[in-house]
Amino acid sequence: MSLWQRRMISLARSEPVKRLMQRIGGASALAGRFVVVGDPETAVVRARQLHDRLGISASLFYLGEYVSDPALVDRSVETTITAARLLGAGGLDVQVSVDPTAIGHLASPAVCRESAQRIARAVAAQPAVARSFLMLDMEDLALVEPTLRLHRDLHAQGLPVAVTLQARLRRTARDLAALVRQPTAIRLVKGAFPLGPEHDHQGKGAIDRSYLSLARTMLAPEAREAGLRPVFATHDDRLIRRIAALATEMGWQKQEYEFEMLYGVRRGWQRRLRAEGFSVRLYLPFGSDWWPYAVRRVGEHPGNALLLARTLVSGERFHSAPSR
């Protein structure tokens, strides 16, 4: 990980900096670009609008990460459960995403597991709607194995759970091989915050080749027969077109897999894909703790720093180049 990226992570986790930045007027434009600043009800209203107006689905994510305070962990869990219930009551896909560090991992794996079980049971209790599950986000390398273990535990209990994998990590091909024959969902992202050649594919070309190779595995006949739901989280036009062609070649219908993008990023591209009949989902963060999330969008691409500074000074809209 570069010095730049270490500094961005430190900035994202600094409570004094977060409190300061979330009071700056220009920063509200940054928040409004990428998140729904509000409660679960507000987020579900936005999810309903996306569904009804554009035919686009949402995966709701309550903002907050690297939380150790039991009260904050409980608030994250309860808020996510509330969002799941509201989605179910509205007849929408009940998809909620969580970071393990937001639901108790820093306290203990047992606390995290209990929290995830509570959320997954709330998802399962909603009216039967296609493509409803708890999506486990993937954080840094140290959390890969605990997150995969959590997915195994919940899946063994018959709970609706899915997991995120990162194409940049060399280990992902092995991790995917153990998952691809299960009736689950896998979200494939490019990944951010590289660690070095020992752990990572180096450079955009190598990461893209890894992404396509992993996508081919996710679209293999045995994956389809097992009931796997492939989710390709990227904004990369070329990758999306190649994956769509590959899916057609391998016999998948457009509604059997989906492309996921970040809320507020490349809206025209999202709508174009949906107009072409592809399933499109947005990763929709909500809440008030938006500063760490926004800084991570910058940390993934150092070139975003100037745009962030302009936003904070002038209140202009911030357009990042995300890792997906």
Side-chain angles (χ1 to χ4, degrees):
M1 187 182 299
S2 70
L3 177 61
W4 159 263
Q5 289 164 332
R6 287 196 296 271
R7 285 176 174 172
M8 294 309 295
I9 291 175
S10 177
L11 190 62
R13 297 178 185 174
S14 169
E15 281 296 322
V17 172
K18 182 179 73 173
R19 287 194 295 269
L20 172 64
M21 299 312 296
Q22 294 191 173
R23 290 198 302 268
I24 293 177
S28 63
L30 175 63
R33 173 70 185 182
F34 289 117
V35 310
V36 173
V37 181
D39 55 22
E41 290 80 3
T42 305
V44 172
V45 167
R46 183 60 183 138
R48 166 60 67 189
Q49 292 170 342
L50 289 167
H51 177 273
D52 292 351
R53 297 176 184 176
L54 304 172
I56 291 176
S57 302
S59 182
L60 269 56
F61 170 71
Y62 179 60
L63 290 159
E65 56 190 14
Y66 296 96
V67 174
S68 56
D69 184 336
L72 295 179
V73 170
D74 190 61
R75 184 173 70 185
S76 182
V77 173
E78 290 297 335
T79 302
T80 303
I81 288 173
T82 297
R85 289 172 176 164
L86 289 169
L87 287 168
L92 299 168
D93 287 353
V94 184
Q95 283 204 26
V96 289
S97 295
V98 299
D99 288 351
T101 61
I103 61 170
H105 177 79
L106 296 184
S108 75
V111 170
C112 183
R113 183 170 57 252
E114 180 181 356
S115 297
Q117 288 172 347
R118 289 175 59 197
I119 297 169
R121 287 172 183 148
V123 173
Q126 303 315 304
V129 179
R131 301 185 295 278
S132 292
F133 46 76
L134 164 64
M135 174 66 77
L136 301 176
D137 291 342
M138 193 62 74
E139 300 175 88
D140 58 57
L141 182 62
L143 286 160
V144 172
E145 197 55 48
T147 302
L148 291 173
R149 188 181 309 118
L150 179 60
H151 178 270
R152 288 195 296 271
D153 289 347
L154 297 178
H155 192 270
Q157 297 176 52
L159 293 171
V161 63
V163 70
T164 305
L165 297 179
Q166 301 178 65
R168 70 170 177 82
L169 289 177
R170 295 185 183 280
R171 62 169 289 164
T172 296
R174 182 177 71 252
D175 295 332
L176 179 60
L179 289 165
V180 75
R181 293 180 177 84
Q182 300 178 17
T184 186
I186 298 172
R187 175 205 278 152
L188 182 64
V189 302
K190 287 188 177 181
F193 302 125
L195 295 171
E198 178 184 356
H199 299 290
D200 303 312
H201 296 287
Q202 298 293 295
K204 182 180 185 303
I207 294 172
D208 285 357
R209 287 191 293 274
S210 172
Y211 198 106
L212 281 171
S213 176
L214 296 166
R216 182 177 291 275
T217 300
M218 291 167 64
L219 293 168
E222 55 265 35
R224 188 180 183 196
E225 292 168 5
L228 180 72
R229 177 75 176 179
V231 180
F232 301 107
T234 180
H235 303 88
D236 189 318
D237 309 43
R238 186 181 61 85
L239 271 179
I240 287 174
R241 291 303 185 194
R242 293 184 68 178
I243 290 167
L246 182 62
T248 299
E249 174 188 326
M250 302 183 81
W252 291 70
Q253 301 299 310
K254 289 180 179 178
Q255 69 273 14
E256 293 178 318
Y257 62 97
E258 60 190 48
F259 294 111
E260 182 174 304
M261 303 186 192
L262 299 172
Y263 177 73
V265 177
R266 301 205 64 189
R267 293 170 179 167
W269 181 227
Q270 297 165 7
R271 296 179 185 189
R272 179 177 175 182
L273 287 172
R274 187 68 194 98
E276 293 178 16
F278 292 102
S279 296
V280 177
R281 186 174 301 277
L282 298 188
Y283 184 81
L284 200 164
F286 72 96
S288 59
D289 191 23
W290 53 265
W291 172 249
Y293 178 80
V295 172
R296 283 195 292 111
R297 296 279 75 80
V298 176
E300 290 163 3
H301 289 269
N304 287 335
L306 180 59
L307 298 176
L308 174 61
R310 183 185 305 150
T311 295
L312 297 177
V313 171
S314 68
E316 294 179 15
R317 292 289 184 181
F318 174 65
H319 300 262
S320 81
S323 65
R324 297 187 176 205

